[in-house]
Amino acid sequence: MRSTMQTSDSVLSSIGMAMRAGKITAGEDFVIADARKSKAKLVIIATDASERTQKKLIDKCTYYETPYVLFGTRETLGAAIGKFDRVVLGVLDGGFAKKIRSLLSDK
């Protein structure tokens, strides 16, 4: 069993690799659009997103049957993709989504 820090680093590393592969969408509107089109295979929502934003994103993911996780902070998600703070990321590749979900379930 991995420590929480190792798991967190592994998840952030996987997000970074997905970004470099062009398989990440960032930003609320873009992620919702990708969920609507069934392009997003996983939505990652920052734990420090406002309650209203979290509810909106969770409701959209539930409606469009897109898996989601609450993980990291807006700072860590932004840093993982080499950008400023990001509240939500969409993973567009099934392989990366599966890897990230399996890393998070190992916690």
Side-chain angles (χ1 to χ4, degrees):
M1 185 158 217
R2 294 176 163 208
S3 74
T4 304
M5 188 61 121
Q6 284 176 322
T7 299
S8 180
D9 288 346
S10 296
V11 170
L12 293 172
S13 176
S14 294
I15 292 170
M17 284 192 303
M19 181 64 181
R20 288 188 295 280
K23 301 297 182 185
I24 292 285
T25 303
E28 199 174 319
D29 294 334
F30 293 115
V31 171
I32 290 171
D34 284 339
R36 184 179 302 123
K37 297 176 201 167
S38 298
K39 283 182 165 181
K41 306 304 180 201
L42 176 67
V43 172
I44 303 169
I45 305 167
T47 56
D48 62 348
S50 72
E51 274 186 49
R52 183 177 179 199
T53 300
Q54 281 188 15
K55 181 183 180 336
K56 177 182 177 181
L57 291 165
I58 290 169
D59 288 349
K60 293 288 185 182
C61 287
T62 302
Y63 182 78
Y64 296 121
E65 299 179 356
T66 303
Y68 68 89
V69 294
L70 295 172
F71 172 78
T73 64
R74 61 184 69 219
E75 290 174 8
T76 57
L77 292 180
I81 63 168
K83 310 248 185 224
F84 192 65
D85 299 359
R86 293 292 188 266
V87 172
V88 62
L89 302 175
V91 182
L92 306 178
D93 180 80
F96 281 117
K98 184 177 177 183
K99 174 71 173 172
I100 292 167
R101 289 178 76 184
S102 75
L103 288 169
L104 289 172
S105 67
D106 285 350
K107 281 207 266 195

